């Protein structure tokens, strides 16, 4: 199918791209060479800031004013793009190359109908009549599986969901029938379920058209699923390149190994696996180390690494840029813990006290009624973000909460914290009912429940030093004097594995992972009984994510606090949680101890979530259809089973009319909300497992 | 969209009502005996008393306010204390003059300013941009009275001295003069006002263009292979000019009655000059009428801006109200 | 880009580094220099002015600029150079003082109103909307009618006219900052209102506030000069530049210099402050991209 | 070019551009005049010169005053004084019509003056006419006034600014302009302009010679002068000296000026601190340099004042016998110190915003500062300053007094104990007695002597400083002829003005 002998569609040679910053030029991409054959999807992975987008934009010759191609060649079908004039590039853009960007929302003109935005391509680059162009636009939309494309052409971007917007962009990119397609994290901002369908679509479209594609992502699993070959980019250098299977089975570069090992896989659990984080952080402008750029973080570096490593070309199309790749091959492997490493699991669950219990908690955000609604006396409407939630967190335990975006995870956390008012239900902490309003909670209650937020960039006041930030909770919640609090700061920093001198730093001088560590230190400073973590790692790179997950685990082992851990990433939740609750549209649909959750039967929604994870395989008797459509609006929730509108295992009318019962069985901690009984569902479903992609 | 418009209208009414309270109270605080001012320095006590009775100044303030509001909204704007003539026709005539000046100013300044702003934005950092930026920033620094005086020196006196056709230094116009007749009188004040607005609008347009050029959808449009001018006209401008619309509307409000200095320099019979006259003479009803007309005009301009903005911005048009 | 080693720079150093960035933009550098120069003139004015602000010489009235009187003399025989020089202090302290007061009030109100939200916020904002529906100059005129013309009245007018504007700007920043994680964290830590407002939120408002202050300041100079020109602000014989222009307009054909110098001074100062504000805007906005 | 030079009064009947002798039947030209806005339209309440100017052309006086302050006929073509100056009999002109077409009768005159003197109505003129015992229509066109006491200035009183003849029983003089005057009001747009057209039925044949007059209102003298310069108005009569001098080299414009009896008065309230101490009053006077003020504020136009309203134009009364003390700052300081102000005196000087008055205030501030009088100047709009009676209240203030044809007026309304506008709150029995003598005696010598003594008293202890008598200015486009400048601009007569062919 793909012939290595034919001329590559894209041939990049020794490309160096530099940016000007504060008057100085520095290279964000350094001596990168790669080829992509027609019909091939080439994956480019790397952490944030490694230069992936820069490379893509360089290929498109769309670097900003402060960017420039220092040296190298970019040959597209034999033509060196580096030599072309801007006007000539503009012609190529319309015909030979196209970009599918990361943020579909901002990549569409908000003030123009979607159909016009597509038709425009035909009108201006292919000289079509307006009517014909419109017609072609509808056709294109149909091709990317948009239901009712005629209506969608008349919509404005903001009226479409993220997945639909991304389809529109795909349609737009393909409308000029390019020979090179560049995909820059096209699914990163989408839900797993949407991501799965988009990935399928992309794969089949590229295959059909025999387009060469450069697929950029930081998600190794996606690469594994999509690409034939992949390159790993680190600090602008291509450190390794191989066919996918090889890369995952036998990573050669210590960095690639680190990446793979820092990523929890479906089914990994903290009790049995210790994640290996890559120490330190990626170099940025101003302090790129000499010699091997990975040297400061490399576990096997020695003196030789102070010189530039050569690119070793190995058989089977492998390339690696490392002095010691042969050594690294032997030292790999994650630490598997001896069984029963932690004794907290030996304690029987029923002996544990419930720390926090939610009963029938609902949170509705009232909607403002429009004038017309008031006049017509229509009932007040509300976003029913959380509805009738019953949950318990036992002391010393971790409860994981998963669900698609908009399912009410954050709302639940915020209601517990007291920053939003619940509409109904009770929240009890150690048997004492908590008041709704934060201002009415006692300092002691505040002390007992602390939280870590999703976005580390926003978590810390940029104008206070780390030391100042860490002192405060001790002063306010524990009533310590400033002196006492200052004295404890180094301990706190040490606990989150940061050097004591960081107390002097301002948040802008920290990396994202370091910020999140400080946020964790702050939250645990006053020794809370419950730490609520709302997606604490989703903004972080995998290598950093691992260290945060390890940290949370260590802290818990040390303090014995409970954890409410929210994530949309099943693997991450599965790694950390003792119990997992799956919520959909504000309602609990399934809850089980972690070990039990990954065994069938699954609630169809859980099943869909699991099977949508890239790099999973489903050993199913009947392959579950991917989820259709988007999560419905929590304003007008479907009656009956909340999931019936998207359920791939719909039974019939009963699902639409009758709220489903809880299903459970002796011997399993699992409960799920469905009309399909246990045995029947188990018969339909197989077990779902992560790809065995790296345990070689 | 309808719901949106109605809600905006509601806000407008609320603002106007609140402002009317402010105006009423502020004018009540003005020192000086209204009747003494009406009757002049030569009137006696008895006449003064009669006058106070006449004007209902004896009633408690809230009553006076409600009475005033009722009369005012009923179209009965009463008589000016100082000139003893009906306020309504007087204010309307001045409003018309102000509108003329405002419209002419906008006709000159908006295309010019938007053009310059777009030009500067598209050529960021280049010579044109720097010239426009520095030029507009310098114009910003010229107070209206300085510009006005200089323009008069130049276009009225100097030209006249050289025997060339010149523009009038004094812009007072006959009450019944038509637009064409009053045009020569309007030019200098309009230029002066234009100079104030020009820089403001141009800079705003420029930053709007720059802001939009950074957006990803522009990259999308470029990478579609569209010709540059199509990208500019169809993609960048419609979005970049949105904030400009609001500012133009606010400027319109300012033009209607904020031109006190310009009207003073050129002696143009607009609302601003009338208000200064009213304040000088403690002519409360006139003052209140002018201030309120101003506020209504200003609020209306804002309303129109909001609606136009919403109309051009599908994000508002299609999310509110349905 | 921040350096990753070493301790945090002191706040003073940060100020210096920001000033340096201001000087990196040529126009901003020019503007800042003009402002600093005028400030210096204002401070030194009383010592370097060759004559008093109201010192009259009836033999030497209406004299063209010469080595004796650099900017000439006005119709009352006063030295225009000295008056312009002394006027710098007058206009800077009035517009600067008024701006600062308005910024203080506006910041306090904006912080509270934005952070607390609710009906109080709604009420204050409606009230401010209404105040802002009156053109600033009209409001100023109405108020000066009440207060009577004097420097203090001008100060009060500036506070009343600018406080709503500053408050709204501050409020909008507060609204975006208060949903940030660190503010929520502070609330969860049981921090007091004062701490949250002034230590957590205020610093994030400061960059915007600095820009707004500079912009208000340039408008303030305008307002003070315009009121002077309309004769309703500060009283003669104050060397207010606007008032000087008004007075000199009567004698423009006899003593044009008495008009052009103060007019030029206003223009240069306002342009300078504008360029400075523009520079501040660039610095702070690129930082928050 | 400069045409009307300063001329001593009484002057020739025509000044400046002289009236063309040939009466022509054709009217031509519209004269556009810049004036400050009028507020009062009812003649009984008018006071500003623009109000008087309008009234003077819409209505007629019974008798008029010429530029030389001589009484001349207007509606009354002739009069007899009988009965030792107690009875005045006036004969009215024939064929006089109001603008509404009704004829003028003696009844109208009787009604007009009865209204003005009616104590019930409390009109400003009531006091002025309190001496009238009775007014009778003694014929269709004959009116007889009977006085209680002789009054040598009665004819002047009858030509008081307010004494315009209205139609009997007029109710709405404030808004309707029904006069007999040479011009009719065709449109009045408050604060903007008033447009007059020639009254074709005017009782004097061939008058007025203009087709019409447009009075454009200007709040700002500069704007008015600019308008003159750029040809939008033809005549400006109210401007500061600075503006006036600036017009002198302007082509196409005649500048005219005449000396007047008008003056700016600086007065200190004498009924309370600090003005109640004569030493303080003297200190103020000694600290003032009148010559410098005249040079700076009036640029030399007009005449130095001698602290009494009896100016050099009243040749038969004016006296320089009592010398004005030389300026002596040291002495002034000394006096202040003696009066209890060794550290100097802080005081606010109030002034209306018109003419050269703010300049005067500023100059005084500087001069007095040397003597330790620290003045804070407060400039207020004329309308507010006078409107609020602040001018009667404040300790230290400046007032402009327009020119009057006879000096008695000032003494009666401003300086006598009970005077309505006794702004300085001056009360001096000797002064009052002298004033009464001067105002009732028909003996010219006795009168002159009284006035001379009055001048002496005012110089010695009057709480007033009159730094100068100002000149009246006018600047008119050279397209017009027949314009004659009067000391009080409001009484300017446009009847003889017309466009030059
Ligand atoms: N226009 C620019 N000017 C200066 N530096 C830039 C510019 N764009 C990117 N950079 C820097 O270049 C480096 C590489 O950025 P790039 O966006 O290519 O990374 P990336 O791998 O795409 O990261 P991410 O996963 O976050 O998208 C980063 O350090 C970034 O800060
Ligand atoms: N302040 C609010 N006002 C109104 N609706 C809200 C508000 N906050 C959240 N919602 C709505 O409530 C629903 C649940 O939101 P929530 O943030 O709890 O979801 P989530 O599961 O945390 O999603 P994500 O994964 O995107 O963080 C969503 O439909 C959201 O739009
Ligand atoms: Mg990227
Ligand atoms: Mg969330």
């Amino acid at each position: 199918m793909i012939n290595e002998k034919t001329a590559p569609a894209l041939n990049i040679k020794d490309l160096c791209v530099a940016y000007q910053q504060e008057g100085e030029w520095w290279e964000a991409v350094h001596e990168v060479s790669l080829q992509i054959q027609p019909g091939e999807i080439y994956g480019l992975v790397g952490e944030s800031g490694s230069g992936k987008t820069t490379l893509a934009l360089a290929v498109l010759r769309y670097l900003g004013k402060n960017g420039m191609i220092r040296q190298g060649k970019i040959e597209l079908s034999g033509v060196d793009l580096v030599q072309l004039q801007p006007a000539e590039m503009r012609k190529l853009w319309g015909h030979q190359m196209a970009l599918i960007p990361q943020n579909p929302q901002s990549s569409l003109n908000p003030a123009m109908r979607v159909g016009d935005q597509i038709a425009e391509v035909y009108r201006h680059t292919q000289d079509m009549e307006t009517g014909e162009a419109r017609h072609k636009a509808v056709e294109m939309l149909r091709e990317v599986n948009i239901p009712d494309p005629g209506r969608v052409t008349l919509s404005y971007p903001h009226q479409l969901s993220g997945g639909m917007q991304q389809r529109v962009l795909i349609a737009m990119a393909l409308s000029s029938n390019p020979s090179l397609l560049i995909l820059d994290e096209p699914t990163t901002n989408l839900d797993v379920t949407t991501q799965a369908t988009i990935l399928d679509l992309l794969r089949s479209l590229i295959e059909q058209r025999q387009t060469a594609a450069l697929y950029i992502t930081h998600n190794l699993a996606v690469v594994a699923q999509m690409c034939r070959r992949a390159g790993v980019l680190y600090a602008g250098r291509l450190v390794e390149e191989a066919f996918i299977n090889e890369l995952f089975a036998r990573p050669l570069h210590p960095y690639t190994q680190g990446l793979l090992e820092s990523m929890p896989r479906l089914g990994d659990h903290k009790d049995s696996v210790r994640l290996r984080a890559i120490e330190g952080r990626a170099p940025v402008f101003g302090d790129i180390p000499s010699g091997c750029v990975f040297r400061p973080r490399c576990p096997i570096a020695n003196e030789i690494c102070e010189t530039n490593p050569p690119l070793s070309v190995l058989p089977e199309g492998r390339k690696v840029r490392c002095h010691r790749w042969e050594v690294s091959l032997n030292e790999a492997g994650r630490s598997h813990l001896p069984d029963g490493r932690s004794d907290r699991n030996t304690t029987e669950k029923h002996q544990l006290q419930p720390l926090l219990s939610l009963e029938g908690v609902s949170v509705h955000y009232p909607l403002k009624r429009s004038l017309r609604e008031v006049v017509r006396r229509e009932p007040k409407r509300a976003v029913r973000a959380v509805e009738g939630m019953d949950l318990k967190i036992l002391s010393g335990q971790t409860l994981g909460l998963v669900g698609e975006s908009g399912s009410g995870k954050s709302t639940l956390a915020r209601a517990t914290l007291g920053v939003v008012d619940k509409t109904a239900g009770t929240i009890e902490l150690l048997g004492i009912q908590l008041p709704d309003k934060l201002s009415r909670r006692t300092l002691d209650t505040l002390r007992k429940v602390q939280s870590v937020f999703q976005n580390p960039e926003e978590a810390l006041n940029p104008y206070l030093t780390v030391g100042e930030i860490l002192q405060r909770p001790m002063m306010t919640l524990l009533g310590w004097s400033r002196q006492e609090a200052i004295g404890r700061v180094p301990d706190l920093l040490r606990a989150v594995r940061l050097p004591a001198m960081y107390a002097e730093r301002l948040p802008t001088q920290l990396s994202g992972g370091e910020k999140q560590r400080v946020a964790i230190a702050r939250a645990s400073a006053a020794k809370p009984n419950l730490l609520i973590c709302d997606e604490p790692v989703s903004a972080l790179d995998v290598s950093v994510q691992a260290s945060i997950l390890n940290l949370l685990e260590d802290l818990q082992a040390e303090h014995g606090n409970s954890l409410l851990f929210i994530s949309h990433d099943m693997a991450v939740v599965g790694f950390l949680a003792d119990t997992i609750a799956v919520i959909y549209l504000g309602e609990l649909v399934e809850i089980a101890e972690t070990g039990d959750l990954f065994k069938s039967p699954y609630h169809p929604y859980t099943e869909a979530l699991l099977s949508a994870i890239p790099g999973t395989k489903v050993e199913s008797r009947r392959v579950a259809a991917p989820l259709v459509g988007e999560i419905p609006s929590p304003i007008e929730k479907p009656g009956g089973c909340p999931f019936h509108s998207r359920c791939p295992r719909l039974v019939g009318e009963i699902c639409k009319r009758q709220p489903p019962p809880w299903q459970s069985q002796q011997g399993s901690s699992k409960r799920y909300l469905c009309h399909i009984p246990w045995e029947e569902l188990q018969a339909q479903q197989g077990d779902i497992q992560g790809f065995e992609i790296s345990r070689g | 969209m309808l719901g949106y418009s109605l809600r905006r209208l509601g806000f407008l009414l609320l603002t106007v009502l609140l402002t009317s309270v402010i105006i009423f109270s502020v004018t009540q605080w003005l020192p000086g005996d209204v009747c003494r001012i009406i009757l002049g320095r030569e009137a006696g006590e008895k006449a003064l008393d009669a006058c106070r009775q006449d004007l209902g100044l004896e009633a408690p303030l809230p009553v006076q306010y409600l009475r005033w509001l009722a009369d005012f909204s009923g179209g009965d704007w009463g008589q000016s204390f100082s000139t003893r003539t009906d306020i309504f026709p007087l204010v309307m005539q001045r409003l018309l003059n102000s509108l003329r000046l405002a419209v002419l100013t906008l006709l000159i300044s908006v295309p010019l300013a938007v053009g310059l702003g777009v030009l500067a934005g598209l050529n960021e950092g280049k010579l044109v941009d720097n010239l426009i930026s520095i030029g507009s920033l310098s114009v910003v620094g010229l107070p209206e009275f300085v510009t006005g005086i200089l323009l008069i020196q130049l276009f009225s006196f100097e030209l006249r001295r050289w025997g060339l056709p010149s523009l009038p230094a004094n812009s007072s116009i006959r009450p019944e003069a038509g637009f064409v007749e009053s045009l020569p009188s309007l030019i200098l004040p309009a230029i002066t006002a234009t100079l104030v607005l020009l820089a403001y609008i141009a800079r705003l347009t420029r930053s709007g263009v720059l802001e939009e050029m950074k957006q990803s959808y522009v990259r999308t449009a470029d990478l579609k292979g569209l010709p540059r001018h199509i990208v500019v006209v169809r993609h960048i401008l419609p979005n970049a000019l949105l904030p400009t619309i609001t500012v133009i509307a606010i400027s319109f409000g300012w033009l209607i009655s904020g031109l006190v200095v310009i009207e003073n320099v050129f002696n143009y019979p607009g609302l601003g000059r009338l208000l200064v006259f009213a304040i000088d003479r403690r002519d409360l009803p006139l003052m209140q009428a002018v201030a309120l007309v101003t506020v209504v005009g200003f609020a209306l301009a804002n309303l129109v801006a909001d609606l136009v903005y919403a109309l051009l911005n599908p994000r508002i048009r299609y999310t509110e109200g349905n | 880009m921040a350096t990753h080693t070493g301790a945090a720079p002191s706040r003073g150093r940060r100020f210096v580094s920001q000033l340096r960035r201001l000087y990196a933009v040529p126009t901003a550098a020019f503007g800042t220099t003009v402002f600093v120069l005028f400030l210096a003139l204002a401070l030194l004015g009383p010592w370097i002015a060759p004559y008093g602000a109201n010192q009259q010489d009836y033999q030497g009235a209406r004299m063209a600029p010469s080595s004796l009187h650099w900017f000439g003399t006005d119709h009352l025989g006063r030295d225009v150079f000295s008056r312009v020089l002394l006027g710098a202090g007058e206009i800077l302290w009035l517009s600067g003082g008024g701006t600062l007061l308005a910024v203080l009030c506006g910041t306090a109100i904006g912080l509270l109103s934005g952070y607390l939200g609710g009906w109080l916020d709604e009420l204050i904002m409606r009230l401010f909307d209404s105040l802002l529906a009156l053109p600033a100059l009209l409001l100023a005129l109405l108020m000066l009618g009440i207060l009577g013309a004097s420097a203090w009245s001008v100060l009060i007018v500036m506070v009343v006219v600018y406080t709503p504007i500053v408050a709204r700007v501050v409020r909008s920043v507060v609204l975006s900052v208060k949903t940030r994680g660190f503010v929520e964290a502070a609330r969860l830590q049981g921090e007091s209102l004062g701490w949250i407002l002034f230590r957590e939120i205020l610093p994030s408002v400061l960059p915007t506030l600095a820009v707004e202050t500079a912009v208000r300041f340039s408008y303030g100079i305008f307002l003070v000069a315009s009121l002077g020109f309309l004769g309703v602000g500060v009283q003669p014989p104050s060397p207010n530049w606007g008032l000087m222009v008004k007075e000199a307009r009567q004698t423009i054909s006899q003593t044009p210099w008495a008009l052009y110098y103060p007019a030029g001074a206003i223009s240069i100062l306002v342009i300078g402050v504008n360029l400075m504000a523009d520079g501040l805007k660039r610095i702070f906005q690129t930082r928050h991209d | 070019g400069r045409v009307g030079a300063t001329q001593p009064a009484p002057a020739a009947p025509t000044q400046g551009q002289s009236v063309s002798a040939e009466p022509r039947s054709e009217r031509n030209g519209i004269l556009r005049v810049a004036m400050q806005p009028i507020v009062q339209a009812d003649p009984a309440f008018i006071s500003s010169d623009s109000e008087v100017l309008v009234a003077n052309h819409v209505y007629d006086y019974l008798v008029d005053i010429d530029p030389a302050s001589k009484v001349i006929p207007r509606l009354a073509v002739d009069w007899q004084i009988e009965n030792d100056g107690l009875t005045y009999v006036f004969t009215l002109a024939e064929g006089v019509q109001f603008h509404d077409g009704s004829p003028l009768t003696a009844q109208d005159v009787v009604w007009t003056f009865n209204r003005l003197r009616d104590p019930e109505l409390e009109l400003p003129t009531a006091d002025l006419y309190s001496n009238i015992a009775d007014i009778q229509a003694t014929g269709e066109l004959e009116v007889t006034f009977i006085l209680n006491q002789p009054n040598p200035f009665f004819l002047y009183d009858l030509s008081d600014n307010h004494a315009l003849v209205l139609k009997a029983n007029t109710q709405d003089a404030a808004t309707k302009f029904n006069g007999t005057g040479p011009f009719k009001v065709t449109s009045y747009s408050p604060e903007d302009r008033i447009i007059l057209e020639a009254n074709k039925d005017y009782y004097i044949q061939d008058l007025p010679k203009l087709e019409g007059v447009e009075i454009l209102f200007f709040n700002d003298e500069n704007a008015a002068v600019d308008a003159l310069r750029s040809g939008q108005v033809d005549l400006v009569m109210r401007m500061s000296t600075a503006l006036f001098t600036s017009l002198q080299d302007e082509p196409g414009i005649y500048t005219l000026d005449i000396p007047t009896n008008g003056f700016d008065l600086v007065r200190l309230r004498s009924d309370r601190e600090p003005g109640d101490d004569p030493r303080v009053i003297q200190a103020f006077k000694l600290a003032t340099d009148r010559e410098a003020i005249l040079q700076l504020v009036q640029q030399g136009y007009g005449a130095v004042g001698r602290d009494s309203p009896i100016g050099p134009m009243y040749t038969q009364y004016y006296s320089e016998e009592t010398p004005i003390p030389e300026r002596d700052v040291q002495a002034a300081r000394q006096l202040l110190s003696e009066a209890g102000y060794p550290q100097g005196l802080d005081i606010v000087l109030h002034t209306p915003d018109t003419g050269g008055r703010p300049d005067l205030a500023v100059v005084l501030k500087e001069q007095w500062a040397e003597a330790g009088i620290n003045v804070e100047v407060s400039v207020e709009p004329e309308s507010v300053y006078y409107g609020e009676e602040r001018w009667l209240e404040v300790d230290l203030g400046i007032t402009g007094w327009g020119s009057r044809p006879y000096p008695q007026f000032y003494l009666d309304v401003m300086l006598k104990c009970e005077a309505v506008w006794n702004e300085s709150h001056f009360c001096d029995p000797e002064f009052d007695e002298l004033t009464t003598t001067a105002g009732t005696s028909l003996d010219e010598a006795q009168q002159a002597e009284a006035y001379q003594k009055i001048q002496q008293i005012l110089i010695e202890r009057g709480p007033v400083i009159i730094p100068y008598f100002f000149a009246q200015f006018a600047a008119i486009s050279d397209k017009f002829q027949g314009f004659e400048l009067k000391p009080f601009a409001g009484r300017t007569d446009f009847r003889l003005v017309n466009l030059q062919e």
Side-chain angles (χ1 to χ4, degrees), chain D residues 465-487:
Chain D
I465 298 170
I466 295 180
Y468 52 75
F469 290 91
F470 47 70
Q472 173 67 46
F473 302 125
I476 184 168
S477 154
D478 62 6
K479 294 202 222 55
F480 289 88
Q481 58 184 4
F483 175 73
E484 187 178 6
L485 185 57
K486 294 206 176 176

Side-chain angles (χ1 to χ4, degrees), chain B residues 31-33 36-48 79 81-86 90 93-94 152-153 156-157 160-161 166-176 185 264-267 269-270 273-274 276-277 279-282, chain D residues 36-40 44-47 119-124 162 174-175 187-193 195 214 216-220 223 225-233 250-251 353 381 383-384 386-391 399-401 421:
Chain B
D33 180 346
R36 165 65 61 201
I37 293 160
I38 296 172
L39 298 178
R41 79 176 184 193
E42 325 212 335
E45 256 322 303
K46 217 173 275 168
L48 289 176
Q79 277 202 338
F81 283 174
S82 59
T83 64
R84 303 253 113 197
T85 50
D86 282 344
L90 178 63
Q93 185 218 330
R94 295 312 160 81
I152 290 179
Q153 293 297 317
S156 301
F157 303 147
R160 215 169 124 88
R161 180 164 307 161
S166 60
L167 288 165
N170 161 46
S171 299
S172 79
I173 47 178
R174 286 194 307 123
E176 58 280 2
S185 306
N264 180 291
V265 170
F266 291 98
N267 200 40
R273 197 184 86 181
L274 188 65
V276 175
F277 171 86
I279 292 176
D280 268 3
R281 290 180 176 61
R282 300 293 183 266
Chain D
Q36 83 272 31
I38 67 168
V39 172
Q40 300 299 333
F45 292 106
I46 58 178
S47 62
E120 284 294 296
L121 293 179
E122 286 194 328
L123 295 184
H162 305 99
T175 51
S187 104
Y188 169 42
S189 159
E191 194 265 329
D192 178 40
R193 67 186 65 204
I195 300 176
E214 266 181 40
L216 280 67
F217 299 144
F218 287 81
N219 274 310
D220 182 2
V225 169
D226 281 350
L228 176 70
R229 280 210 179 100
S230 75
Q232 273 120 31
V233 300
E250 196 74 22
D353 61 352
S383 49
V384 173
Y386 294 130
E388 284 169 22
E389 306 218 312
R390 261 246 272 301
W391 69 298
T399 317
W401 286 92
W421 299 320

Side-chain angles (χ1 to χ4, degrees), chain D residues 256-327:
Chain D
L256 301 86
D257 69 271
I258 58 169
T260 75
N261 295 313
F263 53 90
D264 285 338
L265 173 80
V266 186
R267 95 291 177 294
L268 191 61
R269 259 186 87 153
S270 60
D271 61 336
R272 65 181 185 206
E273 274 189 67
D276 59 356
D277 189 326
R279 287 170 297 197
V280 173
I281 295 177
Q282 273 316 308
F284 273 85
K285 292 189 177 206
L286 282 171
T288 310
D289 181 346
R290 292 171 177 74
E291 181 59 35
I293 291 175
L294 184 70
Q295 289 309 322
L296 286 176
V297 180
Q298 297 297 328
Q299 300 201 9
Y301 287 94
V304 171
R306 308 187 80 250
D307 293 359
S308 105
I310 301 165
M313 299 300 107
Y314 306 117
T315 36
Q316 65 270 51
Y317 309 127
Y318 180 71
S319 136
E320 291 189 359
E321 205 145 286
T322 318
I324 284 272
E326 283 285 305
R327 178 170 194 240

Side-chain angles (χ1 to χ4, degrees), chain C residues 71-101:
Chain C
F71 294 176
T73 60
D74 69 2
H75 67 293
L76 294 182
R78 295 176 294 190
D79 181 48
V80 177
F81 176 66
S82 303
R83 283 175 67 75
V84 169
L85 206 59
L86 295 166
E90 201 255 18
I91 204 151
L92 283 179
W93 102 254
L94 258 187
S95 48
T99 307
L100 281 185
L101 280 178

Side-chain angles (χ1 to χ4, degrees), chain C residues 39-63:
Chain C
L39 201 65
L41 287 181
L43 291 176
L44 298 177
W47 284 275
I48 54 179
Y51 302 89
N54 196 29
Q55 190 179 335
Q56 297 153 3
D57 172 8
Y58 85 89
Q59 312 290 357
R62 301 181 290 282
M63 291 212 312

Side-chain angles (χ1 to χ4, degrees), chain B residues 182-202:
Chain B
S182 51
L183 200 56
S185 306
L186 288 172
I187 292 175
L188 287 184
I191 292 179
T192 312
T194 295
L195 286 181
V196 179
L197 284 185
L198 191 68
Y200 187 40
I201 299 180

Side-chain angles (χ1 to χ4, degrees), chain C residues 210-225:
Chain C
V211 173
E212 186 59 26
T213 305
V215 173
R216 276 311 118 215
F217 182 47
S218 74
Y219 280 106
I221 297 171
F222 244 102
L223 184 66
V224 172

Side-chain angles (χ1 to χ4, degrees), chain D residues 61-72:
Chain D
Y61 290 97
L62 200 56
V63 292
D64 215 342
I65 315 276
D66 77 356
S69 299
K70 241 179 66 198
V71 179
I72 54 170

